[in-house]
Amino acid sequence: MNYRCLLALSAAALSLSACSNSSVISLDYVPQPSQMVRGAPDFSVGQFKDKRGMQAQTLGHVRMPIGPAVDTLQTRLPISDIVANAFAYALEARGMLSEASKGRFILQGEVQDLRSQLLVHPYGYARIRVNVVESASGAVVYSKVYEGERQSNAYRPGSGSPVPILRELTSRALQEAVDRALDDANMRQILNTSSDSRPRYAPGML
């Protein structure tokens, strides 16, 4: 990389840094009715422990190819709450959220990774262990790790803030992991949950 390119990248980093050192964003869940598998309202949502080794509301950092982070992405709620909310919205969208305070099964688990990052390409990634607990016995009857990943074209310094695209990529990565978990045919077969056709979902922000 020549000296002129280094100067240009440094200037872009300084420009981003001058705009903001921290950006607060919300993630969302957008139902895709034609792609979802509906089920019985047998589920409630428990705790998803944040095991990422980061601060509770830190989602990631915006970095240029050289130099320190120029922006830190923060969420409005702790990551553990965001993931639990995503599962609640997704269950509701499928007619699977119990109307009682505790369903036949409780979804809980660990947030092993959920992050936004920008080095060259904007990137969002989620990895979540989902444990299905039988309410009556307290036994874990199913457990699996689900992932979601989204990446876009390389970011051009000076083309505007990368924060909106990072928010969208991370929202979709989280949604992909959640949808894979709830539509897992093997999990459904083991739990023997039947179909329920009642539409009860109203979109909302996480």
Side-chain angles (χ1 to χ4, degrees):
M1 182 180 293
N2 62 37
Y3 180 69
R4 185 171 297 176
C5 289
L6 287 172
L7 284 178
L9 288 170
S10 297
L14 288 172
S15 176
L16 278 173
S17 181
C19 293
S20 175
N21 291 320
S22 180
S23 297
V24 180
I25 64 172
S26 296
L27 303 182
D28 64 7
Y29 182 91
V30 181
Q32 304 291 328
S34 63
Q35 301 174 24
M36 297 186 305
V37 182
R38 297 185 65 81
D42 288 339
F43 296 86
S44 55
V45 179
Q47 182 182 16
F48 282 83
K49 297 179 180 179
D50 187 351
K51 296 291 187 178
R52 301 172 308 137
M54 301 170 65
Q55 292 185 352
Q57 291 173 244
T58 297
L59 194 58
H61 303 284
V62 177
R63 300 179 185 274
M64 303 307 292
I66 59 172
V70 296
D71 201 351
T72 297
L73 298 183
Q74 302 281 344
T75 52
R76 300 181 187 280
L77 299 174
I79 294 298
S80 56
D81 291 345
I82 287 175
V83 171
N85 287 348
F87 275 98
Y89 287 137
L91 287 168
E92 182 76 12
R94 290 163 172 79
M96 295 170 63
L97 187 64
S98 173
E99 295 180 355
S101 59
K102 182 180 291 187
R104 178 185 170 201
F105 300 107
I106 302 171
L107 292 182
Q108 59 189 43
E110 298 176 352
V111 186
Q112 297 181 350
D113 203 350
L114 180 61
R115 57 187 157 93
S116 297
Q117 68 180 40
L118 171 61
L119 288 174
V120 176
H121 295 272
Y123 179 75
Y125 179 69
R127 184 173 71 245
I128 302 167
R129 174 168 289 282
V130 177
N131 298 323
V132 182
V133 178
E134 187 178 47
S135 297
S137 65
V140 176
V141 293
Y142 194 80
S143 182
K144 186 175 178 179
V145 174
Y146 298 90
E147 296 177 287
E149 185 176 34
R150 289 290 188 275
Q151 180 173 287
S152 71
N153 296 331
Y155 171 73
R156 297 194 310 272
S159 62
S161 172
V163 171
I165 185 62
L166 287 169
R167 173 192 176 279
E168 176 67 14
L169 292 172
T170 310
S171 291
R172 301 291 72 79
L174 173 59
Q175 180 163 344
E176 181 179 18
V178 170
D179 288 346
R180 284 179 172 175
L182 298 188
D183 295 333
D184 185 338
N186 188 47
M187 181 268 285
R188 297 241 187 166
Q189 184 177 13
I190 290 173
L191 301 183
N192 191 26
T193 58
S194 59
S195 177
D196 174 56
S197 60
R198 290 174 292 171
R200 302 183 303 155
Y201 177 75
M205 300 298 294
L206 303 188

